Structures are given as structure tokens and as C-alpha cells.
Amino acid sequence: MKRLYMIVSLLMLTVTIMAQPSWVKKATKSVFTLKTFTADGTLLGSANGFYVGKNGEAISCFAPFKGAQRAVVIDAAGKEYEVACILGANETYDVAKFRVTTGKTQPLTVAQGQAPADASVWLLPYNQVKKVPQGTVRKAETFNQNYAYYTVALQMPENSVGAPLFSETGEVLGLMQQPASLKDTLNYAVSALFADSLKTTGLSINDPVLRATGIRKALPQDVGQAQLSLYIGGASLDSLAYCQLIEDFILQFPNHPDGYTYRAQQLVNGSRFADADRDMKKALKVAEKPDEVHYTYSRLMLQKLLYMPEQAYDAWSFDGSYDEAGEAYRINPLPTYRQQQAVVRYAQQRYDDAYAIYEELFTSSLRSPELFYAASVCKEQLKDSVAQLALLDSCMAQFSRPYLKETAPYLLHRAQLLMDMNRHREAVTDLNDYEALMKTQLTSNFYYMKYQAEMKGRLFQQALDDINEAIRMTPQSDLYYAEKASLQVRVGLYSEAVETAKTCIQLAPDHSDGYLFLGLSQCLLGQKTEGVKNLQKAGELGDPQAEGLIEKYSK
């Protein structure tokens, strides 16, 4: 009996050994353990993972990366390597793809198809060769059209989350998910093909999943998407992270000018003009479209000259900026480049030259309200109000009624010009249109300005309405009460003027205006004794009009 038991045991051992797949020993070299850490070096999380590319590309679970500032992998030989960057992540299926800072790596072969139900599968945890758990696929559910989510009849060993799940031929089907309990005999694996497909895009910088980890995110491989990353990163990253992003772009795309031009912009911001100049020259050497680089060069020069004039850098000048825009136009005659030349000439206070360029562009594809407005500002500097108004009229002619908010700045500017030209009723028309567009954003200062135009245009009822609105918005302003009292006196509302003037005095007892209008209103109502006293008080407070009124009403 004992001999029979030994024979059965040997047979079972032989079957077990024969069941051990031949690819296990080689595959174990591609499996590692992942460890992540907080900024202070505290261990945050860990999981299994494995290489899927020859240059350190690997996949594992995403959960350990949340909140991590640093991550390492430890391979089968016990060697430790830093995780360089995240290549993509998906929180729903808890997978991440990343790159490890090591030399050539031995990747596992990722299965391109799905394993059918009842197929045999093997789980290969980190550094485990002798006992490779075997299981059976119970169900393969398809998600995102091409990928499988497996339910597997298999009991997971401890610390095997993220470990690869293999087919009989040694291809990786999936990576194991976190089990509810180690006692579970049904567990789950998400498609390794799905994890391997993860990648960053130009919008990944603002992806809340990727932002949940402090590990650096890789630039997209597509240059167009990488350019989008540069554009978005300027507004969403801090300066240090953004500078690193630019350096990554230059390293990844050394023959593309954008990396150098974006870095030049950062260098200008840091007053490193010589370094910025060198980068712009590098950009010109590699540019397929040098006109765009010359245009950027012109704008950088102008930025420095306008906003950092106190910092000397003789290599950059207004004429140099003008010439760079001119070279861009010579290579590719786009009207935008001529417009840049106009901007430079305006900055040089060469308003006639700037206007001549704008006038040339009126018949170009740039014809727009902004263009006519820019030309009007040139005429404003040249003190030619008639031409300025004509250009503002052309600016407004580019719009049709009902006006949208984009017209508001032009309406306000034209209204101010019309007021300066004593065309007050026309100014009021523009101010009414402006008020209708900007109703929720107006202040008492606007209503006071409108009141002044209406007064000079003899639109007294409108003026009274608007000074009341100014008072409603700023009830503590004695100036507005004084203006209201003045208007009430002018239109014969003497009793009302008395009450308004008294409020003005309450707000500013040391100012003369309240006493002046109170005294004048009382005199006009026949209350000369009281009125003259108040006029005298206004005179004592320094009002120059008081003496003449006292003389008139004392008789």
C-alpha cells in the first residue's frame, strides 16, 4: 500500500511539473514590483507590474500612483530603477502605463485577441517561478469595443495585484485587479492590451486622473498633440513644471522650432535676452516655415522693448523688430505680418507710418473692427479728431444691430470722442447702446458720465434719471447730490433742490456745494434771509460763486 501511494505521488508531481509552462522562467525577468512614495519619502503603495516595451515601457495598477511624488520598480534580479514618467492612465480600470529609467528591457508579448471562456490561464506574481497559480476563464466581457475584462476561476496569492495573467502560449491577457478578499476563488483581470494602449494627448495636462499623481507626465508622441500640450501648459502649469515641459519637447522634437520659441519666451520673461536670442536663431535653423519664427522673433523683441525698456540689450531694437516682421512678410506675404509692422511703428510713435500700414490693410483679409479701431488710435495721437471719428464710424459699421457685447468698447470710445467734440446728443445715443449691453457691469461713474453728456445735450429728464441711478449705486457721494441739486435748480424744481442740498450738507458739512445750492434754492423760493445765510456759509468754505449770488439776492 505504501508503495502504491508513492507511485501516485510521483505521478502527481510529474503532472505538476509537466503543467508548468515553458515560458515561465523567461517571463519572470519581465515582472517587477512597483513602489511609490510621498514627497517626504514615505512608502505610499505597491503593486506588481511588467514590461511591455523594449525601452522601459511598463504597465501596472494606477492606484499606487495617486498622490505619489516618486516611484521605483525592483526587477527579478533585485535591481531598482526610477519611474521616469507616466505614459497614460485610466482610473476606472485602475491601470497605468509608464516608462522606467533603465536600458533595454525584455517585454512580455501582449495578446492581441481575447481568451475564450474555459481557457486555461496562469498568474505570474513578482519573483515567483516554482508555483505559478493556474486558473480558468469563466467570462470575458468586452469594453471599449476591443478589450476584455476577465472573470477568472483562480485564487490569487498575497501581493499579486497587477501581476500578468498569461494564456497557454505565454501571451499576456491581462493584469490582475485588487480582490475583495484573498479567499475569493473568482477574481478579475483587465485587458493588458487596453493598458498598453494608454497614451497622453494634448489635453492630458488638465486630465484630473493624471493630475492626481505628482509623477511627471510624458509628452504625446504626436507632434501636433505635443504642441497642444505646450499651449495648454502655459496657462495650467506652474513655471517650474512648464519649463520642464518645454525641455521635454525640445528633447523629444529637437528639429521642431516650437520648443525653442516657447523657451525663448520664458527666457525673455526672466530677462535672459541673449539666451532667448540664441534660441530664436536655433528655431530659424530648424524651421520648415521660417516666416512664423521671424514673426515670433519680432513679437519677442517688441515685448522686451515695451515692458522691460530699462534692461539694456542693444541687439534688440524697434527697427530690428520691424525688420523681423518684414522678413516674415517677404517669405510669406500674410497681412498679419504687416499688421505687426504697424504695431511696431506705433510703439515708435511713428503714427503716420503706422496709419499708412493699417490703411493698406483695410482691403485685406484682416479688415475688421479691430483694424479700424487701431487706425483710429493713430489719428487720435495725431490730434485729427475728424479722421478719428470717421474711422470709429467705419469700425462700428462692421457690426449690425442688435449689437453684441463685443461692440461695447468701441461704443464707449466713440461716445467719449463725441463728447470731446461737443456732439453730446450723439454721444448719449452711443452711451445708451453701451448701457443696454453692459447693464449688469456698470458703475456710478458711468451714470455720472452719461449725466454730464445729457446735461450738455439739454436732455434734462434723462440727466435726472441717471444722476439718481448714480446716487442709488453710491449713496454716500456728496458730489452726486450736489450735481442733482444743480440740475433741479436749473429746471425749476426748487423745493426738491432744497431737500437734495440738505442731504449733501449732511454727507459733507465741510464742502461748500450743499450750502451754495441750498441757499440759491431758498432765494428762488423767496426765502432770501435764510438763503443768503447759506450762501455766506458757502463763501466762507471757499465757493467762488457765492459772492455774486449774495450780492444779487441781498438787494
Side-chain angles (χ1 to χ4, degrees):
M1 186 69 179
K2 183 176 180 182
R3 183 169 179 273
L4 178 61
Y5 176 78
M6 290 179 64
I7 291 171
V8 171
S9 297
L10 286 170
L11 285 172
M12 290 180 65
L13 179 60
T14 303
V15 170
T16 303
I17 292 172
M18 289 177 64
Q20 179 88 341
S22 60
W23 42 259
V24 170
K25 187 173 182 180
K26 180 180 178 183
T28 194
K29 297 177 182 178
S30 302
V31 181
F32 53 74
T33 186
L34 167 75
K35 294 185 181 296
T36 62
F37 305 90
T38 60
D40 63 2
T42 302
L43 178 65
L44 182 64
S46 64
N48 287 249
F50 50 94
Y51 292 114
V52 292
K54 295 180 179 179
N55 297 303
E57 298 89 351
I59 58 177
S60 182
C61 304
F62 177 68
F65 285 104
K66 290 183 182 180
Q69 298 297 318
R70 176 175 172 260
V72 300
V73 301
I74 303 170
D75 68 13
K79 293 183 179 179
E80 182 178 300
Y81 301 99
E82 294 281 335
V83 172
C85 59
I86 302 289
L87 299 173
N90 182 281
E91 189 172 31
T92 302
Y93 292 98
D94 190 25
V95 286
K97 186 175 181 180
F98 49 94
R99 180 176 289 115
V100 178
T101 55
T102 180
K104 295 295 181 180
T105 47
Q106 180 176 303
L108 298 178
T109 301
V110 176
Q112 299 301 302
Q114 297 184 12
D118 297 326
S120 294
V121 289
W122 284 262
L123 174 61
L124 182 59
Y126 169 71
N127 241 354
Q128 187 165 321
V129 179
K130 294 182 179 180
K131 290 184 180 181
V132 180
Q134 182 181 356
T136 304
V137 173
R138 286 286 180 258
K139 185 167 54 175
E141 299 173 272
T142 301
F143 68 95
N144 288 10
Q145 297 183 334
N146 299 319
Y147 308 112
Y149 192 82
Y150 294 103
T151 301
V152 184
L154 180 149
Q155 191 163 346
M156 290 176 62
E158 191 175 0
N159 299 325
S160 56
V161 176
L165 184 71
F166 288 88
S167 69
E168 189 171 5
T169 58
E171 293 183 320
V172 181
L173 296 168
L175 63 162
M176 299 306 295
Q177 302 275 275
Q178 177 71 48
S181 168
L182 291 176
K183 295 180 180 179
D184 287 349
T185 56
L186 283 181
N187 283 289
Y188 305 93
V190 65
S191 168
L193 187 62
F194 171 67
D196 190 29
S197 73
L198 296 173
K199 60 183 178 181
T200 54
T201 69
L203 301 176
S204 293
I205 285 176
N206 290 330
D207 183 345
V209 175
L210 290 175
R211 289 176 75 92
T213 178
I215 307 295
R216 186 168 64 88
K217 273 63 77 175
L219 270 174
Q221 292 299 306
D222 177 75
V223 67
Q225 290 294 310
Q227 287 173 297
L228 181 59
S229 293
L230 284 181
Y231 179 76
I232 295 175
S236 60
L237 298 178
D238 60 56
S239 58
L240 185 62
Y242 187 53
C243 287
Q244 182 60 59
L245 182 70
I246 294 171
E247 294 299 328
D248 290 345
F249 187 96
I250 292 172
L251 184 64
Q252 193 164 318
F253 304 103
N255 293 320
H256 198 286
D258 278 11
Y260 303 110
T261 58
Y262 274 85
R263 187 167 68 181
Q265 177 66 73
Q266 297 303 107
L267 291 167
V268 168
N269 293 345
S271 302
R272 295 170 59 186
F273 307 118
D275 291 334
D277 194 66
R278 280 192 291 273
D279 266 349
M280 290 309 299
K281 288 181 169 60
K282 287 180 185 177
L284 284 171
K285 287 180 181 179
V286 299
E288 291 183 4
K289 296 180 179 180
D291 56 299
E292 296 178 357
V293 179
H294 283 293
Y295 174 60
T296 302
Y297 209 168
S298 172
R299 295 179 65 186
L300 283 179
M301 286 185 182
L302 186 60
Q303 176 190 336
K304 182 263 177 248
L305 293 162
L306 289 177
Y307 302 114
M308 292 171 268
E310 71 286 350
Q311 301 181 46
Y313 183 62
D314 295 339
W316 286 4
S317 65
F318 285 110
D319 285 338
S321 177
Y322 182 87
D323 291 343
E324 286 296 330
E327 182 62 16
Y329 188 77
R330 185 192 66 76
I331 297 169
N332 185 11
L334 295 177
T336 300
Y337 302 153
R338 282 292 282 160
Q339 183 182 35
Q340 172 66 9
Q341 289 186 298
V343 172
V344 175
R345 287 299 186 235
Y346 184 89
Q348 289 180 283
Q349 300 183 13
R350 294 172 60 172
Y351 305 120
D352 277 325
D353 293 340
Y355 175 76
I357 298 174
Y358 285 128
E359 188 175 37
E360 170 193 324
L361 294 173
F362 289 162
T363 57
S364 74
S365 60
L366 286 184
R367 182 183 178 89
S368 63
E370 293 82 4
L371 194 67
F372 283 106
Y373 179 76
S376 77
V377 174
C378 293
K379 290 299 184 181
E380 181 179 14
Q381 296 296 332
L382 292 167
K383 310 301 182 185
D384 186 346
S385 58
V386 174
Q388 181 189 356
L389 181 60
L391 289 162
L392 286 173
D393 289 342
S394 295
C395 169
M396 289 304 303
Q398 307 305 303
F399 301 103
S400 58
R401 290 182 181 272
Y403 290 144
L404 300 177
K405 274 193 174 183
E406 62 183 311
T407 64
Y410 308 123
L411 285 167
L412 184 60
H413 199 83
R414 187 170 69 174
Q416 291 168 328
L417 175 61
L418 288 166
M419 289 174 67
D420 292 340
M421 297 175 72
N422 294 318
R423 295 167 65 169
H424 301 294
R425 292 201 169 205
E426 293 172 75
V428 169
T429 299
D430 276 354
L431 290 172
N432 285 336
D433 286 336
Y434 181 87
E435 179 185 12
L437 293 170
M438 306 298 291
K439 188 72 176 177
T440 61
Q441 300 172 44
L442 299 176
T443 67
S444 59
N445 288 335
F446 168 78
Y447 285 102
Y448 181 56
M449 177 180 68
K450 189 161 173 269
Y451 155 82
Q452 291 175 309
E454 290 159 343
M455 283 289 290
K456 292 175 182 177
R458 302 181 66 79
L459 300 169
F460 297 128
Q461 184 57 54
Q462 291 183 42
L464 185 58
D465 291 341
D466 283 325
I467 198 63
N468 278 332
E469 183 63 16
I471 288 171
R472 185 191 69 79
M473 298 178 82
T474 310
Q476 300 304 311
S477 172
D478 62 293
L479 169 64
Y480 296 160
Y481 279 99
E483 291 285 355
K484 181 179 177 180
S486 172
L487 173 56
Q488 288 170 327
V489 169
R490 185 167 182 173
V491 298
L493 299 173
Y494 305 135
S495 297
E496 291 85 345
V498 167
E499 297 306 315
T500 302
K502 286 179 178 178
T503 303
C504 184
I505 292 170
Q506 289 175 355
L507 291 171
D510 296 329
H511 292 179
S512 64
D513 288 346
Y515 297 101
L516 180 74
F517 292 117
L518 176 59
L520 178 57
S521 301
Q522 289 171 328
C523 289
L524 291 169
L525 286 168
Q527 304 168 9
K528 292 186 177 180
T529 302
E530 289 299 316
V532 169
K533 288 181 180 178
N534 283 309
L535 290 173
Q536 288 172 339
K537 179 66 173 178
E540 292 171 6
L541 292 171
D543 194 295
Q545 302 176 75
E547 185 176 348
L549 292 172
I550 292 169
E551 184 177 346
K552 178 179 179 179
Y553 290 108
S554 294
K555 295 178 181 179

